[in-house]
Amino acid sequence: MSRAAEMVSSVVPARRALPRYLVAATLARGADAGGAVGVVLLATLPAVGATRPALLGGLLATCLTAPHLLGPLLARWLDRAEDGRGRLAVGFVTYAAAVAAAGLLLGRVPVGVPVALLIAAGACGPLLTGGLSSRLAALLAPDERAQRRGQGWDAVTYGIGASAGPAVVATLAALVGPRMSLVGLGAATLLAAALVGTLPPRVPARDSPARVGPPARGALRAVLGPGPLRRVTGVTTVAALTGGAISVLAVALAADLGRQTVSGALLAAVYGGGNLAAALLVTAFPLTGAPERLTVRWAALGAVGIALCAAVPSFPLAVVAFALAGAATAPLFAATLAARSAYAPDAVRAQVFVSTAAIKVAAASLGTGLAGVLAPLGPRLLLVAGASVTLAAATGATVSRRRSDR
């Protein structure tokens, strides 16, 4: 069989696997997003016996999110595999078992046990996000339009997961209790693991060398060394810092506009709704152009949207501004996926995807914390500051690219 025929025969079944990938990705990202909400609700159970439930809930949520920074170590393990489906599935199953067990055991055993389980689950979290995304390109036709449309669909799974995951957890907690809501997240992740196992294997090129364990410094060099990937990572990290503060600043801005706390939650929901709507548009009308320039452009547009949020004089206009700001995040994320796919060396592809995802999670967590610490400065000033640093990062990346082009 000719090389071209081999490529066609491998791409066609891979493209048929895309719906299974999207279902698995939606389930996994929903579980990843809903886990923190679930453990916070769990800490409020009288049976848990926490004297300060909010403090315990925050500690448990941190145990689930902070270990994302360990993701690059698992990504190296993933990159060493000839076919990473099995190792992805192991990560998914570990997350499912650890989250469900922590939910069932908290308040019934010493707190260190569920804490350790949540740390183990958090370390696997990046495999549910960047690790799974690293396999997407192989499921798509090689032309740019098909790749960009697939990246748009991947952005949709993140948008649905980020909104549906916490909502499903809250609903299950109300119906059957927080413990069972975490068990439900575990079940969803197990189903995602089963679907990952049905994806086509990664087929290396005939003339490619045997895969060996790439050194961790290879991924660091790819992400932090001179080049477009470093500039893209820098811009998206700064944008994530601002994005992580949105939920806190939305509540504060609603109060500044004379509205109740629930109105702040509405603004945060509108921000997520704008993201999801734009992700669907990006899927229908794929982005075109160089991934680096697209990333910088949409980061700048998102910063403009954040600045508009700071300037609104009334709540209805705040709803519009938050929807526009949220809408810019979907094409930004799709452009980031395109950049990772285009610029990541094949030997460290999973490490690049997982490392950049982990950096974004850490930046978003830092943004949330900073928003709480700096809250006395007022939401408008903090929104302007967030927009300013993102615009500065976009400008710096543009200047660096032009110098590099010369």
Side-chain angles (χ1 to χ4, degrees):
M1 183 183 293
S2 68
R3 179 68 176 276
E6 288 179 351
M7 291 178 64
V8 170
S9 64
S10 63
V11 166
V12 170
R15 292 177 64 185
R16 291 174 180 169
L18 182 60
R20 297 197 298 276
Y21 170 92
L22 295 175
V23 174
T26 302
L27 290 171
R29 278 102 194 223
D32 187 56
V37 176
V39 296
V40 170
L41 294 176
L42 182 63
T44 65
L45 279 179
V48 170
T51 55
R52 298 176 64 185
L55 178 61
L56 177 61
L59 171 64
L60 296 177
T62 301
C63 290
L64 195 57
T65 56
H68 278 63
L69 289 173
L70 301 177
L73 298 178
L74 282 178
R76 183 169 182 262
W77 174 67
L78 184 59
D79 266 328
R80 294 174 63 183
E82 181 74 24
D83 174 16
R85 291 176 302 170
R87 296 188 179 186
L88 274 176
V90 167
F92 281 38
V93 171
T94 301
Y95 182 93
V99 165
L104 293 174
L105 293 176
L106 185 67
R108 297 168 174 168
V109 298
V111 70
V113 175
V115 162
L117 288 168
L118 291 175
I119 290 173
C124 296
L127 296 180
L128 279 63
T129 54
L132 187 55
S133 290
S134 70
R135 296 193 64 90
L136 176 62
L139 304 180
L140 306 169
D143 61 282
E144 180 181 288
R145 183 174 178 82
Q147 290 283 325
R148 298 291 171 82
R149 175 171 281 124
Q151 289 150 6
W153 277 117
D154 209 27
V156 170
T157 69
Y158 279 95
I160 294 175
S163 56
V168 169
V169 166
T171 301
L172 288 176
L175 294 176
V176 294
R179 294 189 192 276
M180 288 299 103
S181 70
L182 289 174
V183 172
L185 291 184
T189 313
L190 284 178
L191 178 55
L195 290 171
V196 167
T198 70
L199 299 178
R202 177 167 48 194
V203 181
R206 178 184 294 174
D207 55 353
S208 64
R211 296 182 69 86
V212 296
R217 63 179 179 274
L220 292 176
R221 187 181 301 116
V223 174
L224 303 178
L229 197 55
R230 181 177 69 178
R231 295 190 289 269
V232 166
T233 301
V235 170
T236 54
T237 299
V238 174
L241 186 72
T242 304
I246 284 295
S247 58
V248 177
L249 298 181
V251 173
L253 183 64
D256 187 73
L257 293 170
R259 304 294 290 249
Q260 296 180 345
T261 303
V262 68
S263 297
L266 174 61
L267 290 179
V270 166
Y271 183 88
N275 175 298
L276 181 56
L280 293 172
L281 285 175
V282 168
T283 302
F285 305 99
L287 301 175
T288 58
E292 181 185 356
R293 296 190 182 192
L294 287 170
T295 300
V296 172
R297 181 185 308 160
W298 283 105
L301 289 173
V304 172
I306 295 295
L308 288 176
C309 295
V312 293
S314 64
F315 185 77
L317 289 177
V319 170
V320 175
F322 271 77
L324 291 175
T329 60
L332 171 60
F333 181 68
T336 303
L337 287 177
R340 295 176 194 171
S341 183
Y343 306 134
D346 184 65
V348 292
R349 175 173 294 271
Q351 290 185 64
V352 167
F353 271 79
V354 173
S355 298
T356 50
I359 291 170
K360 282 183 62 179
V361 170
S365 298
L366 178 60
T368 304
L370 285 175
V373 171
L374 301 176
L377 296 177
R380 296 182 188 272
L381 178 59
L382 294 180
L383 286 167
V384 169
S388 298
V389 296
T390 304
L391 283 174
T395 302
T398 301
V399 171
S400 176
R401 176 180 57 79
R402 289 177 177 175
R403 287 180 177 175
S404 178
D405 289 344
R406 294 196 192 103

